[in-house]
Amino acid sequence: MKIGIIGGTGPQGLGIAKRLAIAGEDVIVGSRKEEKALTVVEEANEEIKEYNPKELVGMANEDAAAAADVLILTVPLQAQSATLKTIKEHTKGKVLLDATVPLETANVLHINPGSAAERAANILKDADVKVVAAFNNISNSHLANIPNPIECDCLICGDDGKAKEIASDIIEKIPGLKAIDIGPLNKAHLIESITPLLIGMNIKFKSHYGGFRITGIDFE
């Protein structure tokens, strides 16, 4: 299974890419410009080579979407719509993990429909893409803190059970992360709204590693 990270040259996308490559996954890092993807990937491969990873591959977003079996979108809200429209023709029937958060500084934005993930599903509805909200609450600092495990829960939601199984499997390739399915895609606004809370707590307590674990529930 090839995993394409769309908009993957930023801190979040590249952190996920490195972690998954170290876990032995085939990862393609996409960027608006192929040249940037190639440059960033070359540096990233050098940084993680001591962990014997699968080698990251760099491509333009459109090519990454076409070549990958599963997609992870890691772009700011302002770029979400335009990016999805450029890759739409290459997404038919695929699973898309959307990490977009409707965020401005540390405040959540209200968008229509009710969440960034639902907006992604709406944009891609003609392509029959299975959208799962995922990775929204995992900090870039945690992802970059290789090889330490990320002792956090990763909430996900979506309307397709198989897609959520695929998303969970990908998430749990990263040591320490546990995927927790909270229900259908219309719950995505709840997941996305947690991010500004974590940002605010990190600022207040002068940390970069705020996360959370859900306790008291048997998820087995």
Side-chain angles (χ1 to χ4, degrees), residues 4-135:
I5 303 186
I6 308 303
T9 56
Q12 184 184 37
L14 196 59
I16 294 170
K18 291 176 183 176
R19 292 279 188 165
L20 292 177
I22 291 169
E25 298 299 306
D26 291 311
V27 182
I28 304 166
V29 175
S31 179
R32 193 164 53 87
K33 295 183 178 180
E34 182 184 32
E35 296 82 1
K36 182 175 182 180
L38 292 172
T39 298
V40 169
V41 158
E42 183 178 7
E43 295 171 355
N45 281 328
E46 182 65 24
E47 290 171 13
I48 62 175
K49 66 180 181 180
E50 66 183 286
Y51 305 108
N52 300 311
K54 281 285 189 74
E55 192 163 273
L56 295 168
V57 176
M59 295 182 182
N61 281 331
E62 294 91 332
D63 296 329
D69 303 300
V70 177
L71 307 175
I72 302 176
L73 182 68
T74 57
V75 297
L77 179 70
Q78 295 79 359
Q80 184 200 35
S81 179
T83 302
L84 289 173
K85 289 174 182 176
T86 64
I87 68 169
K88 182 175 180 178
E89 66 179 291
H90 306 297
T91 62
K92 187 171 179 60
K94 295 182 180 181
V95 174
L96 173 82
L97 281 63
D98 192 346
T100 309
V101 174
L103 191 67
E104 185 175 90
T105 61
N107 298 308
V108 70
L109 300 177
H110 297 287
I111 62 174
N112 185 29
S115 68
E118 288 173 285
R119 185 166 80 166
N122 189 53
I123 292 170
L124 299 175
K125 63 183 178 182
D126 295 337
D128 190 31
V129 176
K130 309 301 190 294
V131 175
V132 179
F135 285 114

